[in-house]
C-alpha cells in the first residue's frame, strides 16, 4: 500500500487567496468547530468534479498526515483531495485491500450493481477496486468493527 494517511477536515470555506506570486496555488481557509484550517490547493491537489471552490461552500479536504507541515497557527496543510460536502452524506478517502476493507480497518465496502464507480476523470471503472486509493460516498453504515456500508458512489484515483 502507499505511504499516505489521509485525514479529513470538514467545514465552510471562509476565504480563497493566491499563494504569494504563484497563481497556480490557492490558499483556502476552512472554518469548523475547531477553528480555521488553511489548505494549499495546487496542481497536484485533486478537486472532486473540478468544482470551483467559493466562500460559503461546505467542503471536505483531505491532507496526508505523513507529510511534514509548518508549525504555524492556524494550521496549514497541502490538500491531497478537496471537494464539496453534502451534509447528509459521509465521505471517506483511503486505500482499500482486496476484501474492500480500508487500510486503517475502519470501513468495509459492500458493493452492489447500483454503486456508481468512476475514475477521477468521470469514466466508468470496471476493474478490481482492491489495492487502490478510493473516495467513497455513503450515507449509512453499521456499528460493527469495521463499519460496513453500501456506497452510493466510489471515485478511483488511478
Amino acid at each position: 500500500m502507499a505511504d499516505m494517511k489521509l485525514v479529513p477536515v470538514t467545514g465552510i470555506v471562509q476565504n480563497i487567496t493566491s499563494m504569494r506570486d504563484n497563481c497556480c496555488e490557492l490558499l483556502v481557509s476552512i472554518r469548523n468547530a475547531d477553528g480555521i484550517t488553511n489548505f494549499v490547493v495546487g496542481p497536484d491537489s485533486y478537486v472532486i468534479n473540478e468544482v470551483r471552490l467559493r466562500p460559503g461552500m461546505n467542503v471536505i479536504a483531505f491532507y496526508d498526515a505523513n507529510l511534514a507541515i509548518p508549525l504555524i497557527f492556524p494550521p496549514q496543510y497541502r490538500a491531497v483531495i478537496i471537494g464539496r460536502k453534502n451534509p447528509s452524506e459521509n465521505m471517506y478517502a483511503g486505500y482499500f485491500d482486496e476484501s474492500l476493507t480500508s487500510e486503517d480497518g475502519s470501513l468495509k465496502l459492500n458493493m452492489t450493481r447500483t454503486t456508481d464507480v468512476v475514475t477521477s476523470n468521470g469514466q466508468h471503472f470496471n476493474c478490481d477496486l482492491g489495492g487502490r486509493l478510493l473516495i467513497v460516498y455513503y450515507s449509512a453504515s453499521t456499528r460493527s468493527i469495521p463499519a460496513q456500508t453500501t456506497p452510493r458512489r466510489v471515485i478511483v484515483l488511478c
Side-chain angles (χ1 to χ4, degrees), residues 72-121:
I72 58 175
F73 187 82
Q76 179 176 303
Y77 305 103
R78 184 160 290 281
V80 175
I81 300 165
I82 189 168
R84 183 185 312 252
K85 170 84 169 69
N86 180 342
S88 64
E89 194 167 46
N90 298 307
M91 290 175 68
Y92 180 92
Y95 287 90
F96 286 78
D97 65 16
E98 283 67 30
S99 69
L100 297 183
T101 301
S102 63
E103 190 173 52
D104 66 3
S106 66
L107 189 64
K108 178 166 178 29
L109 305 181
N110 297 316
M111 303 299 290
T112 67
R113 284 188 272 168
T114 61
T115 302
D116 183 28
V117 181
V118 296
T119 62
S120 58
N121 64 9

Short mmCIF file of all heavy atoms in Angstrom, two decimals, residues 72-121:
data_model
loop_
_atom_site.label_atom_id
_atom_site.label_comp_id
_atom_site.label_asym_id
_atom_site.label_seq_id
_atom_site.Cartn_x
_atom_site.Cartn_y
_atom_site.Cartn_z
N ILE A 72 2.76 26.46 12.27
CA ILE A 72 2.19 27.80 12.31
C ILE A 72 0.73 27.70 12.76
O ILE A 72 0.14 26.62 12.75
CB ILE A 72 2.27 28.51 10.94
CG1 ILE A 72 1.54 27.69 9.87
CG2 ILE A 72 3.71 28.77 10.54
CD1 ILE A 72 1.46 28.36 8.52
N PHE A 73 0.18 28.83 13.16
CA PHE A 73 -1.22 28.87 13.52
C PHE A 73 -1.90 29.95 12.70
O PHE A 73 -1.36 31.06 12.62
CB PHE A 73 -1.41 29.16 15.01
CG PHE A 73 -2.83 29.04 15.42
CD1 PHE A 73 -3.38 27.80 15.69
CD2 PHE A 73 -3.65 30.16 15.49
CE1 PHE A 73 -4.72 27.69 16.04
CE2 PHE A 73 -4.97 30.05 15.83
CZ PHE A 73 -5.51 28.81 16.11
N PRO A 74 -3.04 29.70 12.09
CA PRO A 74 -3.73 28.41 12.07
C PRO A 74 -2.96 27.39 11.24
O PRO A 74 -2.12 27.76 10.43
CB PRO A 74 -5.09 28.75 11.44
CG PRO A 74 -4.86 29.98 10.64
CD PRO A 74 -3.76 30.74 11.31
N PRO A 75 -3.25 26.10 11.46
CA PRO A 75 -2.52 25.06 10.73
C PRO A 75 -2.70 25.20 9.22
O PRO A 75 -3.74 25.68 8.76
CB PRO A 75 -3.13 23.75 11.23
CG PRO A 75 -4.29 24.11 12.07
CD PRO A 75 -4.27 25.56 12.34
N GLN A 76 -1.68 24.80 8.50
CA GLN A 76 -1.71 24.87 7.03
C GLN A 76 -1.24 23.55 6.46
O GLN A 76 -0.14 23.10 6.77
CB GLN A 76 -0.83 26.01 6.53
CG GLN A 76 -0.79 26.14 5.03
CD GLN A 76 0.02 27.34 4.60
OE1 GLN A 76 -0.26 28.45 5.01
NE2 GLN A 76 1.04 27.10 3.80
N TYR A 77 -2.08 22.92 5.66
CA TYR A 77 -1.78 21.63 5.06
C TYR A 77 -1.86 21.73 3.54
O TYR A 77 -2.54 22.61 3.01
CB TYR A 77 -2.78 20.56 5.52
CG TYR A 77 -2.89 20.41 7.00
CD1 TYR A 77 -3.97 20.95 7.70
CD2 TYR A 77 -1.93 19.73 7.73
CE1 TYR A 77 -4.09 20.80 9.07
CE2 TYR A 77 -2.03 19.58 9.10
CZ TYR A 77 -3.12 20.12 9.77
OH TYR A 77 -3.22 19.98 11.11
N ARG A 78 -1.21 20.81 2.87
CA ARG A 78 -1.34 20.70 1.42
C ARG A 78 -2.50 19.74 1.15
O ARG A 78 -2.48 18.60 1.57
CB ARG A 78 -0.05 20.17 0.79
CG ARG A 78 -0.10 20.12 -0.72
CD ARG A 78 1.29 20.06 -1.32
NE ARG A 78 2.03 21.30 -1.19
CZ ARG A 78 1.86 22.37 -1.97
NH1 ARG A 78 0.96 22.37 -2.91
NH2 ARG A 78 2.59 23.44 -1.79
N ALA A 79 -3.52 20.22 0.43
CA ALA A 79 -4.69 19.39 0.14
C ALA A 79 -4.33 18.31 -0.88
O ALA A 79 -3.81 18.60 -1.95
CB ALA A 79 -5.83 20.24 -0.40
N VAL A 80 -4.59 17.06 -0.52
CA VAL A 80 -4.44 15.95 -1.46
C VAL A 80 -5.74 15.85 -2.26
O VAL A 80 -5.73 15.69 -3.48
CB VAL A 80 -4.14 14.63 -0.73
CG1 VAL A 80 -4.11 13.45 -1.70
CG2 VAL A 80 -2.83 14.73 0.03
N ILE A 81 -6.88 15.96 -1.54
CA ILE A 81 -8.21 15.89 -2.13
C ILE A 81 -9.06 16.98 -1.48
O ILE A 81 -8.98 17.19 -0.27
CB ILE A 81 -8.87 14.52 -1.87
CG1 ILE A 81 -8.02 13.39 -2.46
CG2 ILE A 81 -10.29 14.47 -2.41
CD1 ILE A 81 -8.39 12.01 -1.95
N ILE A 82 -9.88 17.65 -2.28
CA ILE A 82 -10.82 18.63 -1.73
C ILE A 82 -12.06 18.63 -2.62
O ILE A 82 -11.96 18.45 -3.83
CB ILE A 82 -10.21 20.04 -1.60
CG1 ILE A 82 -11.12 20.99 -0.83
CG2 ILE A 82 -9.82 20.60 -2.96
CD1 ILE A 82 -10.47 22.30 -0.41
N GLY A 83 -13.22 18.81 -2.00
CA GLY A 83 -14.45 18.86 -2.78
C GLY A 83 -15.64 19.27 -1.95
O GLY A 83 -15.57 19.38 -0.72
N ARG A 84 -16.73 19.49 -2.64
CA ARG A 84 -17.99 19.88 -1.99
C ARG A 84 -18.47 18.73 -1.11
O ARG A 84 -18.36 17.57 -1.47
CB ARG A 84 -19.03 20.19 -3.05
CG ARG A 84 -20.35 20.67 -2.49
CD ARG A 84 -21.39 20.85 -3.60
NE ARG A 84 -20.87 21.60 -4.71
CZ ARG A 84 -21.21 22.85 -5.01
NH1 ARG A 84 -22.07 23.48 -4.26
NH2 ARG A 84 -20.71 23.46 -6.06
N LYS A 85 -19.02 19.07 0.06
CA LYS A 85 -19.51 18.07 1.01
C LYS A 85 -21.00 18.24 1.19
O LYS A 85 -21.48 19.31 1.53
CB LYS A 85 -18.79 18.25 2.35
CG LYS A 85 -19.35 17.47 3.51
CD LYS A 85 -18.81 16.07 3.55
CE LYS A 85 -19.14 15.33 4.82
NZ LYS A 85 -20.53 14.98 5.01
N ASN A 86 -21.73 17.16 0.94
CA ASN A 86 -23.17 17.13 1.20
C ASN A 86 -23.36 16.83 2.68
O ASN A 86 -22.87 15.80 3.16
CB ASN A 86 -23.82 16.06 0.33
CG ASN A 86 -25.31 15.95 0.52
OD1 ASN A 86 -25.86 16.41 1.51
ND2 ASN A 86 -25.96 15.32 -0.43
N PRO A 87 -24.06 17.68 3.44
CA PRO A 87 -24.21 17.47 4.88
C PRO A 87 -24.87 16.14 5.26
O PRO A 87 -24.66 15.63 6.34
CB PRO A 87 -25.06 18.64 5.35
CG PRO A 87 -25.01 19.64 4.26
CD PRO A 87 -24.71 18.91 3.00
N SER A 88 -25.68 15.56 4.37
CA SER A 88 -26.38 14.32 4.70
C SER A 88 -25.62 13.07 4.25
O SER A 88 -26.16 11.97 4.28
CB SER A 88 -27.78 14.32 4.05
OG SER A 88 -27.65 14.33 2.64
N GLU A 89 -24.38 13.24 3.83
CA GLU A 89 -23.61 12.11 3.32
C GLU A 89 -22.21 12.11 3.93
O GLU A 89 -21.65 13.15 4.21
CB GLU A 89 -23.52 12.24 1.79
CG GLU A 89 -23.05 11.01 1.09
CD GLU A 89 -23.30 11.11 -0.41
OE1 GLU A 89 -23.00 12.14 -1.02
OE2 GLU A 89 -23.80 10.12 -0.96
N ASN A 90 -21.67 10.90 4.13
CA ASN A 90 -20.30 10.75 4.63
C ASN A 90 -19.36 10.55 3.46
O ASN A 90 -19.75 10.01 2.42
CB ASN A 90 -20.22 9.54 5.57
CG ASN A 90 -21.08 9.70 6.78
OD1 ASN A 90 -21.00 10.68 7.48
ND2 ASN A 90 -21.95 8.72 7.01
N MET A 91 -18.12 10.95 3.66
CA MET A 91 -17.07 10.70 2.66
C MET A 91 -15.86 10.11 3.36
O MET A 91 -15.52 10.51 4.47
CB MET A 91 -16.68 12.00 1.95
CG MET A 91 -17.74 12.53 1.02
SD MET A 91 -17.30 14.13 0.32
CE MET A 91 -15.94 13.69 -0.75
N TYR A 92 -15.22 9.16 2.68
CA TYR A 92 -14.01 8.54 3.19
C TYR A 92 -13.03 8.47 2.04
O TYR A 92 -13.41 8.13 0.92
CB TYR A 92 -14.30 7.13 3.72
CG TYR A 92 -13.08 6.45 4.27
CD1 TYR A 92 -12.76 6.54 5.61
CD2 TYR A 92 -12.22 5.74 3.43
CE1 TYR A 92 -11.61 5.93 6.12
CE2 TYR A 92 -11.07 5.14 3.92
CZ TYR A 92 -10.78 5.24 5.26
OH TYR A 92 -9.64 4.65 5.75
N ALA A 93 -11.78 8.79 2.29
CA ALA A 93 -10.73 8.64 1.28
C ALA A 93 -9.60 7.83 1.87
O ALA A 93 -9.15 8.11 2.99
CB ALA A 93 -10.22 10.01 0.82
N GLY A 94 -9.17 6.82 1.15
CA GLY A 94 -8.07 5.99 1.62
C GLY A 94 -7.89 4.76 0.75
O GLY A 94 -8.63 4.54 -0.21
N TYR A 95 -6.89 3.97 1.11
CA TYR A 95 -6.60 2.74 0.38
C TYR A 95 -7.44 1.60 0.94
O TYR A 95 -7.69 1.52 2.14
CB TYR A 95 -5.11 2.40 0.48
CG TYR A 95 -4.28 3.32 -0.36
CD1 TYR A 95 -3.77 4.51 0.15
CD2 TYR A 95 -4.00 3.00 -1.69
CE1 TYR A 95 -3.02 5.36 -0.62
CE2 TYR A 95 -3.25 3.85 -2.48
CZ TYR A 95 -2.77 5.03 -1.94
OH TYR A 95 -2.03 5.88 -2.72
N PHE A 96 -7.86 0.71 0.05
CA PHE A 96 -8.66 -0.45 0.41
C PHE A 96 -7.95 -1.70 -0.07
O PHE A 96 -7.35 -1.70 -1.16
CB PHE A 96 -10.06 -0.36 -0.22
CG PHE A 96 -10.94 0.64 0.45
CD1 PHE A 96 -10.80 2.00 0.21
CD2 PHE A 96 -11.91 0.23 1.35
CE1 PHE A 96 -11.61 2.93 0.84
CE2 PHE A 96 -12.72 1.16 1.99
CZ PHE A 96 -12.57 2.51 1.73
N ASP A 97 -8.05 -2.78 0.72
CA ASP A 97 -7.42 -4.05 0.33
C ASP A 97 -8.35 -4.84 -0.59
O ASP A 97 -9.41 -4.34 -0.98
CB ASP A 97 -6.99 -4.85 1.56
CG ASP A 97 -8.14 -5.31 2.43
OD1 ASP A 97 -9.32 -5.29 1.96
OD2 ASP A 97 -7.90 -5.70 3.58
N GLU A 98 -7.96 -6.07 -0.90
CA GLU A 98 -8.72 -6.90 -1.84
C GLU A 98 -10.11 -7.26 -1.31
O GLU A 98 -11.03 -7.52 -2.08
CB GLU A 98 -7.94 -8.16 -2.19
CG GLU A 98 -6.81 -7.94 -3.19
CD GLU A 98 -5.66 -7.08 -2.62
OE1 GLU A 98 -5.42 -7.12 -1.40
OE2 GLU A 98 -5.03 -6.35 -3.41
N SER A 99 -10.30 -7.26 0.02
CA SER A 99 -11.62 -7.54 0.59
C SER A 99 -12.44 -6.25 0.74
O SER A 99 -13.52 -6.26 1.33
CB SER A 99 -11.49 -8.23 1.94
OG SER A 99 -10.96 -7.34 2.91
N LEU A 100 -11.92 -5.15 0.20
CA LEU A 100 -12.53 -3.82 0.25
C LEU A 100 -12.69 -3.29 1.67
O LEU A 100 -13.64 -2.59 1.99
CB LEU A 100 -13.85 -3.80 -0.51
CG LEU A 100 -13.74 -4.10 -2.02
CD1 LEU A 100 -15.09 -3.98 -2.69
CD2 LEU A 100 -12.72 -3.18 -2.68
N THR A 101 -11.70 -3.61 2.51
CA THR A 101 -11.60 -3.04 3.85
C THR A 101 -10.54 -1.95 3.80
O THR A 101 -9.46 -2.14 3.24
CB THR A 101 -11.22 -4.12 4.88
OG1 THR A 101 -12.21 -5.15 4.84
CG2 THR A 101 -11.14 -3.54 6.27
N SER A 102 -10.87 -0.81 4.41
CA SER A 102 -9.91 0.31 4.39
C SER A 102 -8.63 -0.08 5.11
O SER A 102 -8.63 -0.93 6.01
CB SER A 102 -10.53 1.54 5.04
OG SER A 102 -10.83 1.29 6.39
N GLU A 103 -7.55 0.55 4.71
CA GLU A 103 -6.23 0.25 5.26
C GLU A 103 -6.19 0.44 6.78
O GLU A 103 -5.52 -0.30 7.49
CB GLU A 103 -5.18 1.13 4.58
CG GLU A 103 -3.77 0.75 4.88
CD GLU A 103 -2.79 1.56 4.05
OE1 GLU A 103 -2.88 2.79 4.05
OE2 GLU A 103 -1.93 0.93 3.41
N ASP A 104 -6.95 1.42 7.29
CA ASP A 104 -6.97 1.64 8.74
C ASP A 104 -7.97 0.74 9.46
O ASP A 104 -8.11 0.81 10.68
CB ASP A 104 -7.23 3.11 9.07
CG ASP A 104 -8.62 3.58 8.66
OD1 ASP A 104 -9.44 2.77 8.17
OD2 ASP A 104 -8.90 4.79 8.82
N GLY A 105 -8.69 -0.11 8.71
CA GLY A 105 -9.62 -1.06 9.30
C GLY A 105 -10.91 -0.46 9.80
O GLY A 105 -11.65 -1.10 10.54
N SER A 106 -11.24 0.76 9.38
CA SER A 106 -12.44 1.42 9.90
C SER A 106 -13.68 1.25 9.03
O SER A 106 -14.79 1.47 9.50
CB SER A 106 -12.17 2.92 10.09
OG SER A 106 -11.96 3.53 8.84
N LEU A 107 -13.51 0.84 7.76
CA LEU A 107 -14.66 0.78 6.85
C LEU A 107 -14.52 -0.38 5.88
O LEU A 107 -13.45 -0.60 5.32
CB LEU A 107 -14.76 2.10 6.06
CG LEU A 107 -16.00 2.32 5.22
CD1 LEU A 107 -17.26 2.40 6.10
CD2 LEU A 107 -15.86 3.60 4.41
N LYS A 108 -15.61 -1.11 5.68
CA LYS A 108 -15.66 -2.20 4.70
C LYS A 108 -16.78 -1.89 3.73
O LYS A 108 -17.90 -1.57 4.13
CB LYS A 108 -15.91 -3.54 5.36
CG LYS A 108 -16.01 -4.68 4.34
CD LYS A 108 -15.92 -6.02 4.97
CE LYS A 108 -16.08 -7.18 4.02
NZ LYS A 108 -15.67 -7.00 2.67
N LEU A 109 -16.47 -2.01 2.43
CA LEU A 109 -17.44 -1.70 1.39
C LEU A 109 -18.18 -2.95 0.94
O LEU A 109 -17.56 -3.99 0.69
CB LEU A 109 -16.73 -1.07 0.18
CG LEU A 109 -15.87 0.16 0.45
CD1 LEU A 109 -15.27 0.67 -0.85
CD2 LEU A 109 -16.67 1.23 1.15
N ASN A 110 -19.49 -2.84 0.83
CA ASN A 110 -20.33 -3.89 0.26
C ASN A 110 -20.88 -3.34 -1.05
O ASN A 110 -21.84 -2.57 -1.06
CB ASN A 110 -21.48 -4.25 1.21
CG ASN A 110 -20.96 -4.80 2.51
OD1 ASN A 110 -20.06 -5.62 2.53
ND2 ASN A 110 -21.54 -4.35 3.62
N MET A 111 -20.24 -3.70 -2.14
CA MET A 111 -20.58 -3.14 -3.45
C MET A 111 -21.84 -3.80 -4.02
O MET A 111 -22.07 -4.98 -3.80
CB MET A 111 -19.42 -3.32 -4.42
CG MET A 111 -18.11 -2.71 -3.93
SD MET A 111 -18.20 -0.94 -3.67
CE MET A 111 -18.33 -0.39 -5.36
N THR A 112 -22.63 -3.01 -4.74
CA THR A 112 -23.79 -3.52 -5.47
C THR A 112 -23.73 -2.99 -6.89
O THR A 112 -22.89 -2.13 -7.21
CB THR A 112 -25.12 -3.06 -4.82
OG1 THR A 112 -25.24 -1.64 -4.97
CG2 THR A 112 -25.19 -3.44 -3.35
N ARG A 113 -24.62 -3.49 -7.72
CA ARG A 113 -24.66 -3.02 -9.12
C ARG A 113 -25.11 -1.57 -9.21
O ARG A 113 -24.87 -0.92 -10.23
CB ARG A 113 -25.57 -3.91 -9.96
CG ARG A 113 -24.91 -5.23 -10.30
CD ARG A 113 -25.74 -6.00 -11.27
NE ARG A 113 -26.69 -6.79 -10.48
CZ ARG A 113 -27.72 -7.41 -10.97
NH1 ARG A 113 -27.98 -7.34 -12.26
NH2 ARG A 113 -28.51 -8.11 -10.20
N THR A 114 -25.75 -1.05 -8.19
CA THR A 114 -26.22 0.33 -8.23
C THR A 114 -25.15 1.33 -7.79
O THR A 114 -25.34 2.53 -7.96
CB THR A 114 -27.47 0.52 -7.33
OG1 THR A 114 -27.12 0.21 -5.99
CG2 THR A 114 -28.61 -0.37 -7.81
N THR A 115 -24.04 0.84 -7.25
CA THR A 115 -22.95 1.74 -6.84
C THR A 115 -22.29 2.31 -8.10
O THR A 115 -21.87 1.57 -8.98
CB THR A 115 -21.91 0.99 -6.00
OG1 THR A 115 -22.54 0.44 -4.85
CG2 THR A 115 -20.80 1.94 -5.55
N ASP A 116 -22.21 3.62 -8.17
CA ASP A 116 -21.58 4.32 -9.28
C ASP A 116 -20.07 4.32 -9.04
O ASP A 116 -19.60 4.95 -8.08
CB ASP A 116 -22.12 5.75 -9.36
CG ASP A 116 -21.58 6.54 -10.53
OD1 ASP A 116 -21.22 5.93 -11.56
OD2 ASP A 116 -21.52 7.78 -10.41
N VAL A 117 -19.32 3.61 -9.89
CA VAL A 117 -17.86 3.52 -9.73
C VAL A 117 -17.22 4.19 -10.95
O VAL A 117 -17.40 3.74 -12.08
CB VAL A 117 -17.40 2.05 -9.62
CG1 VAL A 117 -15.89 1.99 -9.42
CG2 VAL A 117 -18.11 1.35 -8.47
N VAL A 118 -16.48 5.27 -10.70
CA VAL A 118 -15.87 6.05 -11.77
C VAL A 118 -14.42 6.37 -11.45
O VAL A 118 -14.00 6.30 -10.30
CB VAL A 118 -16.64 7.37 -12.02
CG1 VAL A 118 -18.06 7.10 -12.50
CG2 VAL A 118 -16.66 8.25 -10.78
N THR A 119 -13.66 6.75 -12.47
CA THR A 119 -12.30 7.23 -12.28
C THR A 119 -12.34 8.71 -11.93
O THR A 119 -13.40 9.35 -11.98
CB THR A 119 -11.46 7.02 -13.56
OG1 THR A 119 -12.04 7.81 -14.61
CG2 THR A 119 -11.39 5.56 -13.96
N SER A 120 -11.19 9.26 -11.63
CA SER A 120 -11.12 10.67 -11.24
C SER A 120 -11.53 11.61 -12.37
O SER A 120 -11.87 12.76 -12.12
CB SER A 120 -9.71 11.02 -10.75
OG SER A 120 -8.77 10.74 -11.76
N ASN A 121 -11.52 11.13 -13.61
CA ASN A 121 -11.95 11.98 -14.72
C ASN A 121 -13.37 11.64 -15.18
O ASN A 121 -13.78 12.04 -16.25
CB ASN A 121 -10.96 11.94 -15.88
CG ASN A 121 -10.83 10.57 -16.51
OD1 ASN A 121 -11.59 9.66 -16.19
ND2 ASN A 121 -9.87 10.42 -17.40
#
